[in-house]
């Protein structure tokens, strides 16, 4: 048998052992359904208070799963799960209170101006900005 390409066949380098099938890359390891369910559950919950986050990102959720639960998934996997479940944590429909310690005082000041404006005050309004 004549070999015409630039590299010799495996059988000429390793004899009969070269004819055996080389082990090829197998299919990707499957993520257990419990991990997928955990990703979905965590996405629907607020991040831990000590994280300082208002919502999850794919990278912060992947990092949290690795650090706190010992589950290693890529942020790409989390993004696929979010797309498949139509989850958009950055667009949550709930109002989140500011973490500013003076938030309540600031709200009281603004509401107070509307309820009892100072004498001679003029309210100016411009066109609303579109979302």
């Amino acid at each position: 048998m004549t070999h015409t390409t630039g590299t010799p066949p495996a059988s000429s380098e390793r004899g009969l052992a070269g004819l055996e099938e080389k082990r090829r890359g197998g299919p990707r390891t499957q993520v257990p359904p419990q991990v997928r369910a955990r990703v979905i559950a965590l996405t629907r919950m607020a991040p831990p208070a000590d994280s300082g986050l208002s919502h999850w990102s794919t990278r912060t959720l992947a990092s949290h799963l690795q650090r706190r639960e010992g589950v290693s998934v890529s942020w790409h996997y989390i993004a696929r799960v979010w797309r498949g479940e139509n989850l958009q944590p950055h667009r949550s429909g709930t109002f989140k209170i500011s973490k500013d310690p003076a938030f309540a005082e600031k709200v009281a000041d603004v509401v107070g101006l509307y309820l009892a404006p100072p004498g001679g005050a003029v309210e100016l309004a411009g066109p609303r900005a579109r979302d």
Side-chain angles (χ1 to χ4, degrees):
M1 175 162 102
T2 307
H3 187 69
T4 58
T5 62
T7 58
S11 60
S12 67
E13 290 177 357
R14 297 182 16 220
L16 291 177
L19 295 175
E20 293 178 9
E21 186 69 27
K22 283 183 172 178
R23 182 164 189 258
R24 300 179 192 266
R28 290 186 293 189
T29 57
Q30 298 296 313
V31 178
Q34 298 90 343
V35 172
R36 180 181 174 85
R38 186 67 180 140
V39 166
I40 294 168
L42 280 173
T43 301
R44 291 183 173 149
M45 296 186 319
D50 62 349
S51 70
L53 300 171
S54 61
H55 60 273
W56 292 110
S57 72
T58 55
R59 288 177 174 87
T60 56
L61 183 53
S63 174
H64 174 81
L65 284 168
Q66 176 67 45
R67 281 185 288 111
R68 300 274 174 97
E69 301 184 18
V71 175
S72 180
V73 292
S74 71
W75 65 269
H76 293 283
Y77 173 76
I78 293 172
R80 279 195 310 271
V81 171
W82 286 2
R83 272 192 307 274
E85 297 292 323
N86 199 24
L87 294 171
Q88 298 176 342
H90 62 287
R91 295 178 135 190
S92 67
T94 59
F95 177 74
K96 298 194 179 181
I97 300 294
S98 171
K99 296 181 193 277
D100 182 0
F103 179 71
E105 296 166 11
K106 292 176 183 178
V107 169
D109 288 344
V110 171
V111 171
L113 287 174
Y114 278 101
L115 295 177
V122 177
E123 181 181 339
L124 301 175
R128 283 187 65 171
R130 292 186 180 171
D131 292 333

